[in-house]
Amino acid sequence: MAWKQKNKLLFDTCKDQLSCGAVEEYCDAENIARSSTMQCIQSGINVLSSIAASNKRSERASVDTDTHDADANCDGPDLDFVYADVDGYQNEIAELYSYTEFSEFQMNVKAFEDQMELYDLPPNWQKQDSASQRGIVMKLVDQLEVSDRSFRMQAARCILYLAQGCWAEVQSDEEQHQITRDNVLVLYQLGVFASFIDLLNMEIESACSPDIVAVKITNVTLVDSTDIRVILSVLYIITETIRDEREKGSEDYRELADSFVQEINSPLPDGELLAVKLLGMITRFCSGAAPQFPMKKVVLLLWKVSLLGLGGMDVLKNLKNEYRLKVGLEPITEDTLEVTKCMRASSPPATATDILENQYPKRNFKRSLMKQRFLDEPEQIDMEMGGNEGQNNANNGSGNGGNGEEELSQYYRPYDDPSSSTSTTSTANPNNQPSLTQPPAAVPPVQITARLPWTPKVRQKDIDQFLDISRNKFIGYSLIGDHESLAGLPQPIHEGFKTLQRHMYMSLADVQIKKEEDIARNPISTHEDEIKLTPAEVLYQAILPNLPQYMIALLKVLLAASPTSKSKTESINIMADVLPRKMPLTATQSTKLTVDIGRHKEIIVKAVSAIILLYLKHFKINHVYQFEFMSQHLVFANCIPLVLKFFNQTITEYVNTKNSIPLLDFPSCVIGEQPDLSGDSFVYGGEMSDKSYSWRNVFSCINLLRILNKLIKWKHSRVMMLVVFKSAPILKKTLKVRHAMMQLYVLKLLKMQTKYLGRQWRKSNMKTMSAIYAKVRHRLNDDWAFGNDLESRPWDFQAEECTLRACVDRFNLRRYPEATQKCGNNGTAAQNAENAQQSNMMAGNNGCGNNGDANGYGNNGGGGNGGHSQQQQLNDYGVEGGFPSDEILTHSDFAFFGHSGWWDRKVELTDYFKANYAVWLEEEVYNSQTDWDAL
């Protein structure tokens, strides 16, 4: 009885500040530790709470559903969107062209007919035999090398017409696709791709020549980029067709696809990768040196070249397991894409009216909690269920007595835990009510999986912290570096430790970081593995010297294409390849241009977000410090507030907006009889789609959320940026999109910052808290909902970023010394972006108790002497005045962190030391006995 009174007292104390799920998890933990003392419960059994809660999740789902999750609040059905690397082939090809380019299709046909007349051949490609077709292509390739620009571009337009599938000779989209497939095979075999790369180099050089740059181009329109758009279109069609055929596993494309992948992963004759050349085009465009570059085609080609060269989601999954096995780790069994397919989207966050309505059925809520408090007494459970069975049956699942299977499916479908050999099941109907899907009969109840969709994880760092706290509390000592000793600790601590060890997860990044620490600590004795030139490694080495500029350029393009960007004087004009020379005169033309502009922006956002995410994922697998280097420059360039600004809109409208006219999409716009585009045709075109959402917009939103998660995960300073920029209301609005994968990444971002949002926010957002419990992976020992984390001290934030940057710079300097020096010399723009980001951060921190100095590394108002001690440490190492803010931090500025740059410094020895060197060597070295074990 004394134990029950302690339980009741503790339960009443926590009731006001914990969510329903948290209260019940705590009660479950109390049941496990029944024979232990209250101190053991508070310290050791919290570890087991998440595991115990996993086995009773279906019982607790009814409490959350009754109070916060009403199906009447759902905004329509779940989206049937399936996340993939790319959209369908026809859609990807159609997005290459703007609607204003419609007139140029006829120019391609005209060029082909003129060229065939020059060759004394009939202007019909399909009537030519295979040998004749190859001969025509070879003549066109030779013509690409002539000096006459008009003659050269006529041949380029002929090749573009062939790559487009000779659409003037076909009657259906399928026939056009088949001819494109056959022609691309011939074009690549005869060297068309390499020839068009040379043409692209010539266009870049002419566009960036001093004579052209000196004349500032204003009012750039579609005409200014005519030739370069033809070149980029041919390169894109070849790349996308080969990628699609390789994904399908076509036999006739197998050798060609492998050769093409090897070609784009190898440097061009001028020593640059194709991806680096395209990134350079984006940088020149953003700097104003080449405003006529068609950005949409450039970023689309860069995306497809990177996707084909590096690999998509399947390649990433295989590479991750391969690298893990190589370092002695177990392969990953849970794939996010597969697990989210088993989830169901939650209803959107409750409005104020819903909250008021949900305050009335409090009696049912209390009765549910009473049941949970006596879960350890089967007799009382049977009595209570028997007394309420009739009432629950009469209500037919209303209140807290609904169908357990339906309540469970509010959050996820039944899912077998891949980490366990046997699937643990529990009763699907805990309150013994008749199911709506099965007639009541004398048969055993249906057994469904009652586990969470994710296996809980814990880091070695969390286990060490748990042992240190337990040892200091119960014994009064700590063992540094001891990860297993349990001597003198009570039995509940032993059980908690075993549970933690059973769920410990070692990531590939942890192994790589530990290896780097060993190399930095023992550079001579530690053996470093040979650097394998994987596609990601080759790309990183190529972009490292100018990576800050590339990241800033990509974010500038993303900002200009964001629907929330202001229509003011911008430094870049991404509409250069969509605006016609003559503005529209009729309402139909104006409507078409408006739709085209919106579509143009959406495609750019889609491509840029996919590029950044692809690079982040591949760099993280290749080496975590490559990922961290790119991540830091994205953060310094204000990527976090940019993404939040993107989502600061009515996201449901953005997802459902269809800025497309199917009748004007290629090849529908050129095959068959074309209708008159009136207002009715526009409406008809919108109704031709059978989906209620825009594929590219949902794809872009998920990509941006994944980028935000990768930048912020395990970085407390960046999590604080989410709080400073007030991201919680913005992210909550995104939950209204009923797609499980999108909601999962939003809930992850909310979980990261929950501890900083305060008790009142948690109490008023119980539905969101319950969704986090049900959908996001549980990290044992993570008190994300309570705000008691010792690592959340604000005065550690800047030190964390500086330490990370020191490790990244040390890694780059050791492996890529020449490229790192170039990066340091070209980093002024990145440093300016970093200073701006720090200014934004410190401006927001003023409201959180932080008072920053001019450099953004000032003392913290709540940290006592934290800033003074950091400044003293810098002075001890010879760095006075803090970190420099007027130039990028090179390796010499980080010498005190153990960089190899320290050994590059010339040290002048005094004459006294030189004269007495032999004596010093005899006394201090030869005759000195060093206890190396003590060191």
Side-chain angles (χ1 to χ4, degrees):
M1 293 301 295
W3 176 82
K4 292 182 180 179
Q5 291 177 357
K6 292 180 180 180
N7 271 357
K8 183 177 183 303
L9 178 60
L10 185 60
F11 177 83
D12 295 336
T13 303
C14 300
K15 178 179 177 182
D16 294 335
Q17 62 181 353
L18 302 182
S19 64
C20 307
V23 172
E24 295 163 14
E25 285 183 5
Y26 204 93
C27 294
D28 293 338
E30 296 293 318
N31 296 331
I32 296 175
R34 184 180 307 175
S35 60
S36 64
T37 62
M38 183 65 73
Q39 290 180 340
C40 293
I41 293 171
Q42 294 177 355
S43 60
I45 306 307
N46 284 335
V47 178
L48 302 172
S49 60
S50 298
I51 302 303
S54 301
N55 296 328
K56 297 182 176 63
R57 179 63 61 186
S58 60
E59 299 173 10
R60 293 195 300 272
S62 60
V63 180
D64 294 336
T65 303
D66 294 337
T67 316
H68 310 290
D69 223 350
D71 286 337
N73 298 330
C74 298
D75 288 353
D78 293 3
L79 301 182
D80 59 347
F81 172 84
V82 178
Y83 186 81
D85 288 321
V86 295
D87 200 355
Y89 173 80
Q90 293 291 355
N91 293 333
E92 294 292 340
I93 293 294
E95 290 177 351
L96 174 65
Y97 309 103
S98 301
Y99 295 152
T100 49
E101 295 182 67
F102 175 77
S103 60
E104 297 184 6
F105 291 127
Q106 301 299 327
M107 297 172 61
N108 300 337
V109 180
K110 183 66 168 54
F112 175 75
E113 293 174 351
D114 294 343
Q115 200 67 33
M116 296 299 286
E117 182 179 356
L118 185 64
Y119 297 154
D120 293 330
L121 294 173
N124 193 314
W125 180 257
Q126 298 186 67
K127 291 182 179 180
Q128 309 292 332
D129 56 11
S130 176
S132 178
Q133 290 179 353
R134 298 178 71 90
I136 294 173
V137 172
M138 294 179 67
K139 291 179 181 179
L140 293 174
V141 172
D142 292 338
Q143 189 173 333
L144 293 175
E145 300 178 359
V146 300
S147 58
D148 188 356
R149 183 184 185 89
S150 60
F151 200 51
R152 186 172 65 237
M153 293 311 301
Q154 182 176 351
R157 283 198 175 275
C158 291
I159 294 178
L160 176 58
Y161 174 73
L162 298 179
Q164 290 173 344
C166 301
W167 46 265
E169 306 173 13
V170 301
Q171 299 298 324
S172 65
D173 295 356
E174 293 76 13
E175 189 178 358
Q176 177 268 336
H177 182 202
Q178 182 61 35
I179 296 179
T180 295
R181 181 184 181 278
D182 297 338
N183 288 350
V184 166
L185 186 64
V186 176
L187 292 176
Y188 182 74
Q189 289 176 347
L190 297 179
V192 170
F193 190 84
S195 299
F196 270 76
I197 293 295
D198 295 336
L199 287 181
L200 181 63
N201 289 332
M202 295 172 60
E203 292 294 328
I204 294 174
E205 292 176 1
S206 63
C208 300
S209 62
D211 297 336
I212 301 297
V213 174
V215 180
K216 186 176 181 181
I217 302 178
T218 57
N219 298 327
V220 182
T221 61
L222 197 68
V223 180
D224 299 312
S225 60
T226 302
D227 294 343
I228 195 170
R229 281 188 289 107
V230 172
I231 299 171
L232 291 172
S233 296
V234 173
L235 295 175
Y236 180 84
I237 293 175
I238 294 176
T239 303
E240 174 61 15
T241 304
I242 294 177
R243 186 208 61 79
D244 182 65
E245 295 297 330
R246 186 171 188 247
E247 185 177 330
K248 292 178 181 177
S250 301
E251 290 295 333
D252 52 347
Y253 264 83
R254 178 172 300 177
E255 295 182 1
L256 181 141
D258 294 340
S259 175
F260 183 73
V261 171
Q262 185 176 1
E263 179 179 352
I264 61 179
N265 286 330
S266 303
L268 299 173
D270 58 358
E272 275 190 334
L273 289 176
L274 178 56
V276 176
K277 187 174 296 294
L278 295 173
L279 285 169
M281 291 180 65
I282 300 175
T283 305
R284 291 187 181 96
F285 173 81
C286 293
S287 64
Q292 71 274 24
F293 281 169
M295 267 304 99
K296 186 184 76 172
K297 286 181 170 56
V298 173
V299 295
L300 281 175
L301 180 58
L302 174 61
W303 173 31
K304 296 305 171 62
V305 166
S306 302
L307 180 62
L308 188 56
L310 298 176
M313 292 182 294
D314 293 337
V315 175
L316 280 166
K317 183 179 178 181
N318 296 333
L319 281 177
K320 187 173 185 179
N321 288 332
E322 178 185 344
Y323 291 168
R324 287 181 61 86
L325 290 174
K326 191 175 297 184
V327 297
L329 300 176
E330 296 181 357
I332 298 295
T333 57
E334 290 179 338
D335 182 61
T336 304
L337 301 179
E338 296 299 326
V339 174
T340 51
K341 291 178 182 178
C342 301
M343 291 183 179
R344 290 180 180 172
S346 301
S347 57
T351 61
T353 305
D354 300 329
I355 295 175
L356 292 176
E357 292 177 354
N358 289 330
Q359 289 179 354
Y360 290 101
K362 290 183 178 179
R363 185 171 57 181
N364 293 337
F365 175 64
K366 292 182 178 179
R367 184 166 65 249
S368 300
L369 289 180
M370 289 293 292
K371 294 178 184 178
Q372 295 296 329
R373 292 173 59 185
F374 296 97
L375 281 177
D376 57 302
E377 300 182 14
E379 298 82 1
Q380 295 191 14
I381 294 178
D382 295 338
M383 292 172 59
E384 193 166 342
M385 287 193 299
N388 295 333
E389 185 174 1
Q391 179 182 357
N392 291 335
N393 291 341
N395 293 336
N396 195 18
S398 63
N400 70 319
N403 188 345
E405 183 175 358
E406 289 186 351
E407 293 162 353
L408 182 64
S409 66
Q410 279 289 331
Y411 296 107
Y412 58 92
R413 296 185 178 95
Y415 179 77
D416 292 330
D417 185 6
S419 65
S420 60
S421 58
T422 60
S423 177
T424 304
T425 59
S426 64
T427 304
N429 207 344
N431 292 333
N432 292 339
Q433 299 170 2
S435 174
L436 297 178
T437 59
Q438 295 181 357
V443 294
V446 179
Q447 302 289 322
I448 68 169
T449 303
R451 287 180 175 269
L452 290 173
W454 306 98
T455 302
K457 288 182 180 179
V458 65
R459 298 177 297 171
Q460 182 64 49
K461 177 181 179 181
D462 300 326
I463 298 180
D464 296 341
Q465 184 180 7
F466 170 74
L467 287 178
D468 290 341
I469 294 176
S470 301
R471 289 165 181 165
N472 289 327
K473 185 169 186 178
F474 293 102
I475 303 178
Y477 71 91
S478 60
L479 296 176
I480 300 177
D482 190 333
H483 308 297
E484 298 180 355
S485 178
L486 299 175
L489 299 177
Q491 185 62 29
I493 301 299
H494 290 219
E495 297 176 2
F497 177 74
K498 293 178 182 178
T499 302
L500 290 174
Q501 277 195 325
R502 192 163 58 249
H503 292 84
M504 191 185 75
Y505 173 77
M506 179 71 71
S507 67
L508 185 63
D510 295 335
V511 176
Q512 294 170 345
I513 291 175
K514 187 176 184 302
K515 180 72 173 179
E516 288 297 318
E517 291 176 350
D518 294 340
I519 294 176
R521 190 181 302 110
N522 305 307
I524 299 177
S525 60
T526 304
H527 173 70
E528 184 175 4
D529 299 332
E530 181 182 358
I531 303 175
K532 292 187 176 182
L533 294 180
T534 61
E537 181 68 29
V538 172
L539 178 64
Y540 183 77
Q541 293 183 15
I543 69 175
L544 177 59
N546 299 303
L547 188 141
Q549 287 82 355
Y550 294 154
M551 295 302 105
I552 292 174
L554 286 173
L555 292 182
K556 279 186 176 181
V557 174
L558 181 61
L559 175 62
S562 175
T564 56
S565 61
K566 303 295 183 181
S567 58
K568 58 183 180 180
T569 304
E570 299 287 349
S571 58
I572 59 177
N573 177 22
I574 61 172
M575 297 299 163
D577 52 336
V578 70
L579 293 177
R581 171 171 290 183
K582 297 180 180 180
M583 297 307 294
L585 301 177
T586 64
T588 301
Q589 293 176 350
S590 299
T591 304
K592 186 178 74 172
L593 182 59
T594 302
V595 173
D596 201 7
I597 291 175
R599 174 177 177 267
H600 186 81
K601 290 184 175 181
E602 291 174 0
I603 295 171
I604 291 179
V605 172
K606 166 188 172 182
V608 173
S609 63
I611 292 168
I612 296 176
L613 179 63
L614 186 69
Y615 286 179
L616 287 175
K617 291 185 71 66
H618 274 279
F619 288 158
K620 188 171 185 180
I621 292 178
N622 195 59
H623 199 287
V624 64
Y625 280 153
Q626 296 176 352
F627 161 80
E628 295 292 356
F629 185 65
M630 179 178 173
S631 298
Q632 280 206 326
H633 283 290
L634 286 173
V635 174
F636 294 157
N638 284 330
C639 181
I640 294 177
L642 172 57
V643 176
L644 294 177
K645 180 180 180 181
F646 177 87
F647 284 102
N648 191 20
Q649 58 175 316
T650 308
I651 199 66
T652 52
E653 293 182 2
Y654 180 76
V655 166
N656 296 327
T657 299
K658 297 180 182 179
N659 284 317
S660 62
I661 307 173
L663 293 177
L664 295 180
D665 287 339
F666 181 85
S668 300
C669 61
V670 292
I671 295 180
E673 184 179 355
Q674 300 302 312
D676 182 23
L677 288 179
S678 60
D680 296 337
S681 298
F682 277 75
V683 175
Y684 174 73
E687 292 176 351
M688 288 177 64
S689 177
D690 57 346
K691 297 181 179 179
S692 60
Y693 59 88
S694 171
W695 194 96
R696 59 173 169 264
N697 290 350
V698 180
F699 179 77
S700 302
C701 291
I702 294 178
N703 284 344
L704 292 174
L705 289 171
R706 296 182 72 183
I707 291 171
L708 205 56
N709 270 279
K710 288 193 171 297
L711 295 181
I712 294 175
K713 188 176 181 181
W714 303 121
K715 306 291 190 304
H716 297 286
S717 58
R718 301 175 190 176
V719 173
M720 201 62 193
M721 290 182 67
L722 289 180
V723 182
V724 168
F725 294 126
K726 298 179 175 61
S727 65
I730 299 174
L731 296 173
K732 276 191 63 181
K733 290 191 299 182
T734 310
L735 289 175
K736 293 186 177 182
V737 179
R738 290 187 58 81
H739 187 263
M741 188 175 184
M742 185 183 297
Q743 289 185 350
L744 173 66
Y745 287 109
V746 173
L747 293 173
K748 283 184 177 182
L749 293 170
L750 288 172
K751 179 182 178 180
M752 295 177 191
Q753 55 180 317
T754 301
K755 65 180 69 175
Y756 304 105
L757 298 178
R759 179 186 302 179
Q760 185 59 39
W761 187 92
R762 295 192 289 269
K763 289 177 65 176
S764 59
N765 292 274
M766 295 298 295
K767 181 177 180 179
T768 304
M769 300 285 288
S770 299
I772 293 174
Y773 268 104
K775 290 189 173 183
V776 183
R777 185 190 301 275
H778 284 252
R779 293 277 178 173
L780 306 184
N781 267 6
D782 181 15
D783 57 346
W784 60 272
F786 315 127
N788 299 320
D789 194 354
L790 297 178
E791 295 181 352
S792 62
R793 295 175 296 176
W795 54 86
D796 288 340
F797 288 163
Q798 296 299 344
E800 178 189 25
E801 287 288 342
C802 293
T803 303
L804 175 62
R805 184 166 181 178
C807 297
V808 171
D809 287 347
R810 181 172 59 232
F811 165 80
N812 285 332
L813 186 65
R814 190 187 76 253
R815 293 180 62 163
Y816 324 106
E818 296 181 2
T820 305
Q821 293 288 350
K822 294 179 182 178
C823 182
N825 296 333
N826 299 332
T828 305
Q831 180 64 19
N832 294 337
E834 177 186 357
N835 294 338
Q837 180 263 333
Q838 292 172 0
S839 302
N840 292 339
M841 183 64 180
M842 296 309 299
N845 283 348
N846 288 336
C848 303
N850 298 338
N851 298 320
D853 60 2
N855 293 333
Y857 291 94
N859 298 335
N860 180 276
N865 297 327
H868 177 72
S869 60
Q870 182 185 14
Q871 182 62 47
Q872 183 63 38
Q873 181 184 12
L874 297 177
N875 293 336
D876 293 341
Y877 283 107
V879 180
E880 299 181 358
F883 289 92
S885 59
D886 55 343
E887 58 183 8
I888 193 167
L889 298 174
T890 58
H891 68 280
S892 59
D893 298 313
F894 282 105
F896 57 89
F897 283 112
H899 274 243
S900 59
W902 174 268
W903 310 109
D904 298 336
R905 294 185 175 183
K906 296 182 180 180
V907 179
E908 294 293 337
L909 300 177
T910 62
D911 295 336
Y912 176 80
F913 182 83
K914 294 178 182 179
N916 298 278
Y917 174 71
V919 179
W920 172 84
L921 194 64
E922 184 72 25
E923 294 180 356
E924 299 294 336
V925 180
Y926 298 146
N927 297 332
S928 176
Q929 300 296 328
T930 304
D931 188 356
W932 298 105
D933 295 333
L935 291 178

